[in-house]
Amino acid sequence: MGCLKSIFRLIIVGLVIYAFFFFNGPQAVKEKFDKYANPPREVFIQEEKDFGSFAHTSTDYKFQRSVTIGKYRKITATYIPSGQKISLIDIADTVTINQADFYSTKIDLKLYELMDTIKNSPIGLRDIEITQRGTVLAKGKIVPYVNFKAGIKGIPFIKVAGTIAAYNTKNADDGIVAKIQRAVKQQTNDDTSTKIVLSTRLSGNYSPDATLNLIKSISFIGIN
């Protein structure tokens, strides 16, 4: 009897898989993914307002949402003239790293901890060297940043350059961040979180201006 049940289950699973492909399931999934990852610009601006408003950002920057699992959420801005990619990551807290850390001597350690925690950096960094500290004035907020150079784990003699910045915003009650946090049961009374701006590229090909100009274009007017 148990053997018959197992065979019946296998038949059902097989039929479901067959129907999925027969009715063009993979194409439907791809279309839904593309619709989420690459929404029209006006839709993106409205739904990602927890990062600030990108309404004044140049069309030289193309935005894409990443599908992430867990409490972190990431969007990517590609600077079209050079192809440089800039990640904006909501780390869902203000403890891992925050704006105050950029004014302290522990920013180096915080960067290592951040890379290990979020697992969103496309490469593992070592021997991080801070080359410049500064602030950039966005629309309605001062954002601290550091430029750095670093080696790549497992690859000798190769260096990358980059910029990392941080700012805090309060996530809207009806925003996508709040919905995700509630879904994973990590919503707290204080729904303010740190947003990280991170960009790295092989040393010599990296442009800090592409990153800083993106930050300057973000509007925080009317956003906490």
Side-chain angles (χ1 to χ4, degrees):
M1 188 67 176
C3 183
L4 288 174
K5 286 184 177 180
S6 297
I7 293 173
F8 182 72
R9 289 194 189 99
L10 287 174
I11 292 172
I12 294 298
V13 171
L15 289 173
V16 170
I17 294 174
Y18 174 78
F20 177 73
F21 284 94
F22 181 81
F23 291 106
N24 207 18
Q27 181 63 28
V29 170
K30 181 180 182 301
E31 289 176 358
K32 285 185 178 296
F33 174 81
D34 288 343
K35 185 177 180 180
Y36 171 81
N38 301 289
R41 193 176 181 92
E42 60 273 15
V43 174
F44 177 89
I45 290 171
Q46 174 61 29
E47 293 186 347
E48 302 299 338
K49 59 188 177 182
D50 293 304
F51 280 94
S53 174
F54 297 99
H56 304 288
T57 301
S58 167
T59 54
D60 281 344
Y61 293 92
K62 180 182 178 181
F63 293 99
Q64 183 177 49
R65 290 195 285 218
S66 297
V67 176
T68 54
I69 299 174
K71 65 180 182 177
Y72 303 115
R73 189 168 58 95
K74 173 185 171 184
I75 58 180
T76 301
T78 300
Y79 182 58
I80 298 172
S82 66
Q84 182 170 312
K85 294 186 181 300
I86 305 160
S87 296
L88 294 96
I89 306 164
D90 184 340
I91 60 175
D93 62 49
T94 56
V95 177
T96 304
I97 193 170
N98 56 52
Q99 288 181 293
D101 294 324
F102 283 74
Y103 300 103
S104 73
T105 57
K106 60 183 180 180
I107 184 62
D108 308 59
L109 177 60
K110 283 283 191 173
L111 287 183
Y112 284 114
E113 292 176 348
L114 178 70
M115 298 296 184
D116 289 338
T117 299
I118 62 177
K119 303 298 182 185
N120 260 302
S121 177
I123 54 177
L125 301 183
R126 60 177 176 82
D127 303 327
I128 296 175
E129 174 193 354
I130 304 300
T131 58
Q132 182 183 3
R133 297 170 183 259
T135 59
V136 61
L137 179 60
K139 298 180 186 300
K141 190 181 289 289
I142 295 175
V143 179
Y145 72 90
V146 295
N147 290 333
F148 63 88
K149 289 184 178 180
I152 303 176
K153 288 182 179 179
I155 306 179
F157 312 118
I158 300 295
K159 292 279 189 179
V160 297
T163 300
I164 185 168
Y167 60 89
N168 297 339
T169 60
K170 186 174 182 180
N171 299 321
D173 291 338
D174 61 343
I176 191 169
V177 173
K179 293 177 182 177
I180 291 174
Q181 288 178 330
R182 284 195 293 269
V184 296
K185 298 183 178 179
Q186 290 174 335
Q187 183 74 35
T188 62
N189 291 331
D190 182 7
D191 57 357
T192 297
S193 63
T194 297
K195 279 70 174 179
I196 296 296
V197 182
L198 173 64
S199 183
T200 58
R201 214 175 191 192
L202 288 178
S203 186
N205 293 325
Y206 176 72
S207 169
D209 288 341
T211 305
L212 299 180
N213 286 338
L214 172 63
I215 298 172
K216 290 177 184 177
S217 74
I218 303 174
S219 177
F220 299 100
I221 297 172
I223 298 175
N224 293 326

